[in-house]
Structure formats: structure tokens, C-alpha cells
Amino acid sequence: TQHCYSASATLPFAMGVFPTGIYVKQLITRRPYFTTPVMHGQLHNNTFAMQNNMAYWWSAGRPIRSTVLQTIMKRNQTKTFSDMVNRGGFIHEFSLQGPYTFIVPTEEAMSKIKPAALQKLNAESDKLATFIRHHVVPGQFVMKQLLERQSVETLAGQSISFSVTGSFETRDREVLVNGSSKITRYEHKASNGIIYFIDRPLVPKW
């Protein structure tokens, strides 16, 4: 829904224009909606951010402070995988070095592993390390680069492939890893890398 107001109903604000009237009332009464575009730069397609260039200027200059591990560890959707990274002793390695491209299975993805198999995997340190490293690629790759390369080598020393299925016409276009794991979220940036989320874990060759 677009908010309509005349040019005379606006006031100068910093580097852009600050809308007044009914929309200002919304911004005041719904403070999280007001602060989010400016403080975090995540909702640039809403009316406020489009009218206020300050939002773009502020977010573009803000450094990304969270590492890849800090990002996935604070998300409930990736708790099982982040716990495995912690158990495998990779906290120091993945926090200080980089850049990395993480292909992270969500909770839904990890639930597809049978409980007994998951328990066995956590108990065997060598297999656990291989499993984790198979989800990490050295270097930082955006989606365009991954699709151009078609395959990249993980820290486990094994290749994973990237392919596109579907079409724009039918609106079912998806990117798959190893032909079966669908990427559900793309290019989540961190201070030492980039993160992709998938709906099925990648299984290495043991």
C-alpha cells in the first residue's frame, strides 16, 4: 500500500525529505518501523526509506560487525548446526579467519537426519569435523559467482555443485546445491564472510 501526501506536506530532513501528517503519526506510534530503516538499513523498499536518503547513507556506512558464527549462533533456525560447530571446536577458527562462504542447514533441514544418526555423528569427532567443513567454502562468493563456477571445493576437500531449476515464466525458479538442497535465503553478509541457508544438509563422502 502506498502512502500519498502532497509536496507541501513535507519538511526537509537531513539529506532527504521527512514525510509529515498521517505518515508521521504512524512513525511515532510504531517506533520499530521508524528506527529499522535508519538504524539497520533492512527495509529500504518501504515508503519512509525511499523518501529519506539518510537511510541509505547511514546503512551504507555502517560496518558489519557480526562474524558468520555470531550470525548463525543467534538464530533459532540454525541452532542445531551452530551447536555442532561449537562441539567440533571450530569457534576460534571460524571467528578470526576468513573470508568464508557458509552453506548452513536450517532446523528444518537438520530434522531430516534421523535422531540416532545425528547422535552418532556428534559422537564421532572426525565425521563431525568433515560434516561441518563440507558446509564451508573458503572465500566469499555471491550467488552469481557460484552459478558461474557451477561447483566449488569445500574445506572438507570435496566439491559441491550449484544449479538452477524452474523458470521465470512459471515463477518456480530455485537454486539447488548438489541437486537436492534448495537455498532458502541468499547472501546474508557477515564481517568475515557470507551465508546461505539450505533446506537439506549436505552429506559428504566419509
Side-chain angles (χ1 to χ4, degrees):
T1 302
Q2 295 183 347
H3 300 274
C4 300
Y5 46 85
S6 64
S8 61
T10 59
L11 293 174
F13 177 71
M15 299 173 66
V17 176
F18 190 92
T20 62
I22 296 176
Y23 195 56
V24 167
K25 184 178 180 180
Q26 275 192 329
L27 297 182
I28 295 173
T29 55
R30 297 172 62 192
R31 184 170 179 79
Y33 187 75
F34 170 74
T35 59
T36 299
V38 177
M39 298 306 294
H40 303 290
Q42 294 176 343
L43 299 178
H44 283 171
N45 60 342
N46 63 45
T47 306
F48 169 72
M50 291 173 66
Q51 292 294 327
N52 178 17
N53 292 332
M54 185 69 173
Y56 295 93
W57 173 81
W58 179 271
S59 62
R62 286 184 81 241
I64 301 174
R65 294 185 174 87
S66 296
T67 65
V68 285
L69 281 189
Q70 289 172 335
T71 301
I72 66 174
M73 284 184 169
K74 65 184 179 183
R75 297 173 64 93
N76 292 330
Q77 300 94 326
T78 54
K79 185 178 185 304
T80 299
F81 184 79
S82 61
D83 286 347
M84 294 174 74
V85 172
N86 188 19
R87 188 177 295 108
F90 290 96
I91 299 295
H92 182 76
E93 177 181 349
F94 291 149
S95 293
L96 299 181
Q97 300 178 17
Y100 299 109
T101 297
F102 265 61
I103 315 295
V104 181
T106 62
E107 286 299 285
E108 179 185 358
M110 296 302 295
S111 68
K112 295 176 181 178
I113 302 178
K114 294 181 179 180
L118 185 60
Q119 184 177 4
K120 183 178 180 180
L121 178 61
N122 283 321
E124 299 182 21
S125 58
D126 290 343
K127 285 190 174 181
L128 178 61
T130 301
F131 178 81
I132 294 170
R133 289 183 178 278
H134 194 55
H135 290 81
V136 184
V137 177
Q140 180 168 308
F141 298 96
V142 297
M143 180 55 64
K144 181 181 178 182
Q145 293 172 315
L146 293 174
L147 292 177
E148 287 176 348
R149 287 172 174 256
Q150 297 185 355
S151 67
V152 292
E153 186 173 303
T154 68
L155 290 180
Q158 302 178 31
S159 295
I160 55 176
S161 63
F162 293 84
S163 58
V164 179
T165 183
S167 65
F168 287 116
E169 290 76 13
T170 56
R171 298 184 180 181
D172 60 350
R173 195 172 176 86
E174 297 174 342
V175 177
L176 302 179
V177 185
N178 285 351
S180 59
S181 300
K182 182 176 69 175
I183 296 181
T184 58
R185 185 172 180 182
Y186 303 76
E187 299 179 3
H188 188 102
K189 294 182 180 179
S191 62
N192 65 335
I194 193 167
I195 308 168
Y196 296 85
F197 298 92
I198 53 177
D199 68 347
R200 186 182 297 272
L202 306 176
V203 181
K205 297 178 182 177
W206 307 111

